[in-house]
Amino acid sequence: YQRRVHGGGLVSVVAQNLRLTVQCTAGVTIAKVLSKYQSENPTPGCICLDLGDLYSEEKRDLVVMFDIPALPEPVPAAATFVTWSLSYFNVMTTSPEDVVTRSMLCRPLVVDTASQVPCLALDVHRNRVRAADAMERAKTVADSGQFPEARALLQASIDEIVKSASAGDAFCRELIEDLKELCSELTSRDRYHGSCSKKMNTYSQMYSKQRSNCTWKGTYRTMTKEMMIQNSRE
């Protein structure tokens, strides 16, 4: 299945109506989901997220925070604490599909903290979601003319990323540059309404949805979209 997009060209959809169900085991609850996707929360230990369609070469990364209760005694063997169920329509096979995976956790008496290191991939996506949220909140504030307050929100996000474990990652450096760019353009009403407002909304949506939505940045741009852009310039 291919969907025609504005400006000519085709973008391939490989999966439709993705729905992710996160189901915790007894006692475990979902503290927070760092996502802008529509969701249903039937119980404290379950949430369903509608992820929409997926284009070829795209992927989705979701950050979910859990509250895990203390145990009366150690459980050294790995045990399931959350089950992830993804349902979608596979366009390639023209049939619905379901994929299930589980996250497991050991709860030993003694933990070797010296050998533990932060998960940089998780930290990158936490920075991504928080930066997108800061851009959205800054735009809301700037729309009412409060430019210093908007810049403060963006600067706070920059400071947070700089202090994070994944600050040296290339993607996080790009986040910082984009946040700085938006800060530099929040100087006057004319400049804000001329370009910054649109750019802030574009960047926020792009990082939130992990989807390329502009021609001047290559972030999340698939090969199909790259060819489409090149063809439009010829």
Side-chain angles (χ1 to χ4, degrees), residues 1 3 13-21 37-38 48-55 60 85-91 95-98 211:
Y1 172 71
R3 177 178 298 172
V13 176
V14 295
Q16 293 177 305
N17 303 321
L18 280 80
R19 185 174 176 84
L20 177 67
T21 299
Y37 290 105
Q38 291 187 346
C48 304
L49 298 106
D50 293 318
L51 309 183
D53 297 344
L54 195 69
Y55 294 149
R60 296 290 178 266
S85 305
L86 180 68
S87 62
Y88 60 96
F89 182 79
N90 188 325
V91 176
S95 62
E97 292 191 9
D98 296 284
R211 173 169 290 166

Side-chain angles (χ1 to χ4, degrees), residues 4 13 41 49 77 80 84 101 112 180 203:
R4 190 168 297 279
V13 176
N41 199 183
L49 298 106
T80 298
W84 312 77
T101 189
D112 181 11
K180 287 181 177 179
Y203 287 179

Side-chain angles (χ1 to χ4, degrees), residues 89-156:
F89 182 79
N90 188 325
V91 176
M92 309 303 292
T93 62
T94 65
S95 62
E97 292 191 9
D98 296 284
V99 179
V100 177
T101 189
R102 294 172 175 81
S103 295
M104 307 187 77
L105 187 66
C106 296
R107 310 290 296 277
L109 178 62
V110 179
V111 177
D112 181 11
T113 57
S115 64
Q116 293 184 325
V117 295
C119 176
L120 295 184
L122 174 61
D123 199 58
V124 165
H125 289 296
R126 183 165 50 191
N127 284 335
R128 170 182 63 82
V129 174
R130 288 176 173 173
D133 181 64
M135 293 174 188
E136 183 179 353
R137 289 186 290 116
K139 184 180 184 305
T140 299
V141 172
D143 283 343
S144 61
Q146 302 177 66
F147 299 140
E149 291 82 356
R151 286 196 299 271
L153 287 170
L154 297 176
Q155 185 60 52

Side-chain angles (χ1 to χ4, degrees), residues 134-196:
M135 293 174 188
E136 183 179 353
R137 289 186 290 116
K139 184 180 184 305
T140 299
V141 172
D143 283 343
S144 61
Q146 302 177 66
F147 299 140
E149 291 82 356
R151 286 196 299 271
L153 287 170
L154 297 176
Q155 185 60 52
S157 182
I158 292 173
D159 295 342
E160 189 174 50
I161 296 173
V162 168
K163 295 176 183 178
S164 70
S166 60
D169 182 87
F171 183 86
C172 289
R173 292 199 301 269
E174 181 180 356
L175 279 177
I176 292 171
E177 289 305 311
D178 287 344
L179 289 162
K180 287 181 177 179
E181 177 187 0
L182 295 174
C183 274
S184 69
E185 296 186 10
L186 278 168
T187 54
S188 68
R189 185 175 298 275
D190 288 343
R191 192 172 185 187
Y192 174 69
H193 290 292
S195 61
C196 184

